[in-house]
Amino acid sequence: MAEIAEKKSAVSDVGAWAMNVVSSVGLIMANKQLMSPAGYAFSFATTLTGFHFAVTALVGLASNASGYSASKHVPLWELLWFSIVANTSITGMNLSLMLNSVGFYQISKLSMIPVVCVMEWIIHSKHYSREVKMAVVVVVIGVGVCTVTDVKVNAKGFICACVAVFSTSLQQITIGSLQKKYSISSFELLSKTAPVQAASLLLLGPFVDYYLNGKSIVNYNFTSGPIIFILLSCSLAVFCNISQYLCIGRFSATSFQVIGHMKTVCVLLLGWILFDSALTVKNILGMLLAIVGMVVYSWAVEVEKSRQKAVMTKTSMTEEEIRLIKEGVETMPLKDVELGENKP
């Protein structure tokens, strides 16, 4: 029974990762068509994220109303705190991309892996094996080789990048912490946080987007083309958000960051296939190195889990339990086997 349960859990884990990778890559491709000048030039990223969370919130409400999922209590101040951190992450990332070169933006995204590791060590006293650390380094180098090109930075951009990295890392750690703290599923937690994020982003998003690109969403020409792609983007975002919460709840923020870079590799390959993007030998070598790092990381995590299981098996009986058993043996009256009587 235990082996069957482990196999089912492994299948669920693969399903969660597959959903996240497929929905994220699909979302990036849809947004590229929606937002690029060659597409529909919808340059309102923050407001679009507000649309994403609004649709996610509606799905959550429909699920609760139909009885598919239960609504558990999470304090309002926790939801507000999480929304502030999450919205700071979104705004910081958009500002970082605007103020810095693409190369430095990619470096800041890569820096999230060590930042998450350090934050989990500080907040949860989590320690990592040597194999895990080595795998993380390999992944960072591999993704860096295939994505980082020109690196230009300025003071404002550097500050925005630091804020974005810190808030994004904190947001991902908080997702796992809230799920454990309130014994709430990933979808239930998302149903709680999505309405707050949607309201705040739809309220502030148009002003942030106007600051970023000098254009107002009120003046945008909403024809059938961009509306279809906005709906497609929102639909994919629902699956992307659900799978993100699922993955972080099942694994950790560090694992989500490391394995999540598979999306970067997929985006580069699809960009080459669908949009004729350049793919150099440097890109290919970097992707191969990143994939090797991800495989090694997965192996290292499994080894660490096996070690923890072995330690738990050895120490499953506490000292207090052993002491009580010994005391019970010593105070137990001896019985004469032949006469069936207790000896004094």
Side-chain angles (χ1 to χ4, degrees):
M1 290 294 289
E3 290 181 1
I4 294 173
E6 284 186 7
K7 286 180 180 178
K8 285 184 178 179
S9 177
V11 171
S12 300
D13 293 346
V14 172
W17 279 120
M19 185 195 295
N20 184 255
V21 171
V22 172
S23 60
S24 297
V25 173
L27 180 62
I28 291 169
M29 293 294 116
N31 286 350
K32 186 168 185 176
Q33 177 63 25
L34 176 64
M35 302 180 75
S36 67
Y40 295 107
F42 185 84
S43 55
F44 309 100
T46 311
T47 307
L48 180 62
T49 308
F51 293 156
H52 291 169
F53 281 108
V55 174
T56 304
L58 290 174
V59 171
L61 289 172
S63 177
N64 290 334
S66 63
Y68 178 75
S69 60
S71 181
K72 292 186 178 179
H73 175 70
V74 178
L76 180 60
W77 72 268
E78 293 255 37
L79 296 177
L80 291 173
W81 160 249
F82 177 83
S83 297
I84 290 170
V85 173
N87 291 348
T88 302
S89 164
I90 294 166
T91 306
M93 280 295 182
N94 289 339
L95 286 171
S96 175
L97 184 58
M98 182 188 78
L99 296 171
N100 297 312
S101 64
V102 175
F104 185 78
Y105 176 75
Q106 289 294 343
I107 289 175
S108 66
K109 287 181 69 177
L110 286 172
S111 68
M112 286 181 199
I113 299 178
V115 169
V116 166
C117 290
V118 172
M119 289 179 71
E120 285 195 320
W121 172 64
I122 293 171
I123 297 171
H124 299 304
S125 301
K126 187 172 182 178
H127 296 277
Y128 299 91
S129 65
R130 183 179 62 183
E131 293 86 355
V132 169
K133 292 175 184 176
M134 288 173 60
V136 166
V137 171
V138 173
V139 171
V140 170
I141 292 173
V143 178
V145 167
C146 66
T147 59
V148 177
T149 51
D150 61 315
V151 179
K152 296 177 183 177
V153 62
N154 54 72
K156 286 183 179 179
F158 180 77
I159 293 170
C160 288
C162 290
V163 171
V165 169
F166 177 79
S167 57
T168 303
S169 303
L170 183 59
Q171 176 211 7
Q172 293 177 359
I173 292 172
T174 305
I175 289 172
S177 300
L178 288 175
Q179 288 187 48
K180 292 174 183 175
K181 185 176 180 180
Y182 296 104
S183 300
I184 188 171
S185 71
S186 53
F187 185 70
E188 289 167 0
L189 179 60
L190 181 59
S191 299
K192 293 285 186 183
T193 58
V196 183
Q197 282 189 260
S200 54
L201 285 171
L202 290 176
L203 184 65
L204 300 174
F207 298 101
V208 174
D209 289 330
Y210 183 78
Y211 173 76
L212 289 173
N213 54 46
K215 297 178 183 177
S216 173
I217 193 171
V218 177
N219 299 326
Y220 184 77
N221 184 23
F222 284 94
T223 58
S224 59
I227 289 173
I228 290 171
F229 269 89
I230 287 172
L231 292 174
L232 175 62
S233 179
C234 290
S235 301
L236 289 168
V238 172
F239 291 101
C240 186
N241 289 331
I242 292 171
S243 59
Q244 178 186 1
Y245 279 56
L246 268 174
C247 291
I248 294 175
R250 285 176 173 270
F251 308 101
S252 68
T254 304
S255 295
F256 181 75
Q257 280 292 331
V258 173
I259 308 298
H261 278 295
M262 178 59 73
K263 293 177 282 190
T264 305
V265 175
C266 292
V267 167
L268 287 172
L269 287 173
L270 285 175
W272 174 61
I273 295 168
L274 300 177
F275 299 102
D276 295 325
S277 300
L279 196 65
T280 64
V281 175
K282 175 172 164 285
N283 295 140
I284 296 170
L285 290 175
M287 285 189 284
L288 291 174
L289 187 60
I291 291 169
V292 169
M294 291 172 202
V295 172
V296 173
Y297 178 84
S298 301
W299 166 79
V301 168
E302 288 302 316
V303 169
E304 200 167 340
K305 284 181 181 177
S306 300
R307 288 174 184 168
Q308 290 174 356
K309 283 182 181 178
V311 172
M312 287 176 67
T313 304
K314 289 179 182 178
T315 60
S316 58
M317 188 175 290
T318 63
E319 293 181 5
E320 182 68 13
E321 289 171 335
I322 295 170
R323 184 181 64 78
L324 290 171
I325 290 172
K326 285 181 177 179
E327 287 179 0
V329 171
E330 290 171 359
T331 58
M332 187 183 295
L334 297 174
K335 191 172 183 179
D336 190 297
V337 178
E338 294 180 356
L339 301 176
E341 296 174 354
N342 291 337
K343 291 183 179 181

